[in-house]
Amino acid sequence: MQQQSYVSVEVETNWLKILKTCNNPLGLTEELMRQSIKTMPPILFEGAKYLGRYFIPRQFVRYDETEQPRDKNNDVDHVNNLVNNYETIGYRLDSQPPICCFDANDVSNDKLKAQSGFNRNEALGRIGQDCYFFDVYQFESKYWEIVARNQSNHHSNPQLSQKWTDYVKEVCNAVDSDVIMGDSKSIDEFVDLIASDKTAKVRRRIKDTCYNNCKIFPNFRTYNSSGHGKNTLNGFVKENGFPNQGIIGRSDEELIEQGYLVYCAAQGQNKSTWARAITHATKLDIPVWFIGYSDKRVDDLKEFRSDYISEFNDQKETFVQFAKNILDDGGELVEDSFQIKLAGFMPQYVKPNPKDKGRPTEVGLVDVYGVMIKFDPDGECLTLSQPYVDEEDS
């Protein structure tokens, strides 16, 4: 079946005229191209319209080395491998063809700009192959063009996978060209799109390097649940003068002398943390303080913290109801007797504040609204005063 063409007859005619004079040592044909669509269908990219697969003379396709996704223009060993592959196997039907779009920088209407296949282009030149199969797209914007040219490199057979440094190059160029905003959220979203083939750990490395290269301060801080560095749960606890989380490494007598326990929890109703808190508060007769935080980026910290308090109160009510159910006669909760309390939240909105000599907007232990609060081990639970009543009702 003939594919539907989204390219004008005039353009196809121009390609066909030159195609008849092209050197073609690989023996490529229209029939082979149609067969390749069955064995290796085109990739459907977000933000792009697929215009079709075409047999095109390579002289119509421009490769802009400044837009090469890789950190180095051409990998010599890989090009040699491709040349050897073409000479011994020929055209591989399990290989995705290069992708391209019409060249907006050319006055003619039949010229294309390639987004992938930079190394293959070099190899094809070496073997004298003047024409090749290309998947042609129309992109909604430069943003989606960059996304596509990087996602097209998430492949296997003799092709070269993107290195993490290649993605750093792409992101920094996108920031410099105003394709994406120069802030951490935009960089995070862009990296997650173009480097979806990489692990979360590698993507984190790409993002952090881009922040540094672009001189960007991330506006949101996340905390690692393991380790003792600055942006870890244990690091925050130590830096802010709290005792170590939980009970490990201390006797019951030392914990009682300490006067209270601390746990960091990403959810206000975290069952395992609540169970430990109830157990130790009952056994040691000392209060247990929660310090809340979000374990992932959230757009609205105030909303997250308000929801956290609702979750905390719901779980608190569950335990209170449990206690009432097993007693002969119920009674009202005496807040001073309830030893599980919310101390506050970790600082996570850390955009530099120009009014405070560039210090992070949130510092130390903060309340729902990001205001720094002083911890008082004998004080009251934050849920008794926040979020403000008039705001809840509005």
Side-chain angles (χ1 to χ4, degrees), residues 247-356:
I247 63 171
I248 295 177
R250 288 148 291 176
S251 65
D252 287 353
E253 290 74 19
E254 289 172 324
L255 292 169
I256 293 171
E257 177 66 23
Q258 180 177 291
Y260 63 95
L261 301 182
V262 170
Y263 284 105
C264 299
Q267 300 89 28
Q269 86 287 20
N270 187 287
K271 295 179 179 63
S272 61
T273 306
W274 268 92
R276 288 195 296 268
I278 291 288
T279 299
H280 300 318
T282 303
K283 179 182 176 182
L284 301 173
D285 192 28
I286 56 176
V288 178
W289 289 91
F290 276 45
I291 298 176
Y293 73 100
S294 174
D295 56 3
K296 59 182 180 294
R297 173 184 288 277
V298 294
D299 292 329
D300 191 332
L301 266 176
K302 187 171 69 174
E303 180 182 7
F304 165 80
R305 289 164 178 168
S306 295
D307 290 343
Y308 188 104
I309 285 179
S310 297
E311 294 172 358
F312 186 95
N313 285 332
D314 288 345
Q315 192 71 344
K316 178 179 178 179
E317 182 59 35
T318 298
F319 280 103
V320 170
Q321 189 59 50
F322 172 78
K324 288 180 177 180
N325 291 343
I326 62 176
L327 295 176
D328 290 335
D329 54 345
E332 293 298 320
L333 171 66
V334 179
E335 284 291 348
D336 290 343
S337 300
F338 198 87
Q339 294 181 304
I340 314 304
K341 304 178 182 182
L342 177 64
F345 297 93
M346 293 184 178
Q348 293 190 272
Y349 184 60
V350 292
K351 181 179 180 179
N353 184 355
K355 296 180 180 179
D356 193 18

Side-chain angles (χ1 to χ4, degrees), residues 135-391:
D135 277 341
V136 184
Y137 294 84
Q138 178 181 323
F139 298 103
E140 293 178 7
S141 67
K142 185 71 173 181
Y143 180 95
W144 294 113
E145 180 186 335
I146 296 173
V147 170
R149 78 183 182 207
N150 281 274
Q151 290 182 344
S152 69
N153 281 313
H154 300 175
H155 42 42
S156 50
N157 63 61
Q159 297 160 325
L160 195 63
S161 296
Q162 297 270 84
K163 298 177 182 178
W164 74 273
T165 51
D166 298 330
Y167 291 115
V168 169
K169 172 189 172 183
E170 281 284 56
V171 175
C172 293
N173 285 345
V175 172
D176 289 341
S177 304
D178 294 325
V179 173
I180 64 172
M181 296 289 290
D183 59 67
S184 59
K185 182 178 180 182
S186 299
I187 286 177
D188 288 352
E189 292 174 350
F190 195 56
V191 170
D192 289 338
L193 268 176
I194 68 173
S196 58
D197 62 323
K198 301 300 183 185
T199 64
K201 184 176 181 180
V202 173
R203 291 200 302 273
R204 180 75 268 160
R205 185 181 184 186
I206 295 168
K207 294 171 186 178
D208 289 342
T209 303
C210 291
Y211 296 159
N212 183 63
N213 290 359
C214 300
K215 294 181 172 57
I216 290 169
F217 295 94
N219 296 339
F220 195 94
R221 176 185 296 154
T222 53
Y223 292 87
N224 197 321
S225 59
S226 61
H228 293 80
K230 180 180 180 181
N231 292 335
T232 65
L233 302 183
N234 291 325
F236 171 83
V237 166
K238 181 179 180 180
E239 183 180 349
N240 287 273
F242 291 102
N244 291 337
Q245 292 189 78
I247 63 171
I248 295 177
R250 288 148 291 176
S251 65
D252 287 353
E253 290 74 19
E254 289 172 324
L255 292 169
I256 293 171
E257 177 66 23
Q258 180 177 291
Y260 63 95
L261 301 182
V262 170
Y263 284 105
C264 299
Q267 300 89 28
Q269 86 287 20
N270 187 287
K271 295 179 179 63
S272 61
T273 306
W274 268 92
R276 288 195 296 268
I278 291 288
T279 299
H280 300 318
T282 303
K283 179 182 176 182
L284 301 173
D285 192 28
I286 56 176
V288 178
W289 289 91
F290 276 45
I291 298 176
Y293 73 100
S294 174
D295 56 3
K296 59 182 180 294
R297 173 184 288 277
V298 294
D299 292 329
D300 191 332
L301 266 176
K302 187 171 69 174
E303 180 182 7
F304 165 80
R305 289 164 178 168
S306 295
D307 290 343
Y308 188 104
I309 285 179
S310 297
E311 294 172 358
F312 186 95
N313 285 332
D314 288 345
Q315 192 71 344
K316 178 179 178 179
E317 182 59 35
T318 298
F319 280 103
V320 170
Q321 189 59 50
F322 172 78
K324 288 180 177 180
N325 291 343
I326 62 176
L327 295 176
D328 290 335
D329 54 345
E332 293 298 320
L333 171 66
V334 179
E335 284 291 348
D336 290 343
S337 300
F338 198 87
Q339 294 181 304
I340 314 304
K341 304 178 182 182
L342 177 64
F345 297 93
M346 293 184 178
Q348 293 190 272
Y349 184 60
V350 292
K351 181 179 180 179
N353 184 355
K355 296 180 180 179
D356 193 18
K357 298 180 180 177
R359 295 182 73 204
T361 304
E362 294 184 352
V363 179
L365 188 69
V366 298
D367 65 9
V368 169
Y369 307 97
V371 178
M372 185 176 181
I373 53 178
K374 184 177 181 180
F375 174 67
D376 179 4
D378 297 319
E380 68 175 21
C381 181
L382 183 66
T383 64
L384 299 180
S385 59
Q386 289 190 358
Y388 300 136
V389 175
D390 58 345
E391 186 172 280

Side-chain angles (χ1 to χ4, degrees), residues 3-57:
Q3 69 172 341
Q4 180 179 358
S5 177
Y6 291 95
V7 172
S8 71
V9 174
E10 178 190 0
V11 169
E12 286 198 82
T13 300
N14 291 345
W15 292 345
L16 186 58
K17 283 181 184 177
I18 304 300
L19 191 61
K20 293 176 181 179
T21 65
C22 286
N23 291 324
N24 186 13
L26 291 178
L28 303 185
T29 63
E30 292 279 350
E31 177 58 34
L32 186 65
M33 183 187 73
R34 287 190 287 272
Q35 187 178 349
S36 75
I37 295 175
K38 297 177 182 178
T39 59
M40 191 55 68
I43 302 171
L44 300 181
F45 298 106
E46 186 176 357
K49 179 181 179 181
Y50 177 63
L51 303 183
R53 184 168 298 174
Y54 297 92
F55 192 13
I56 304 173

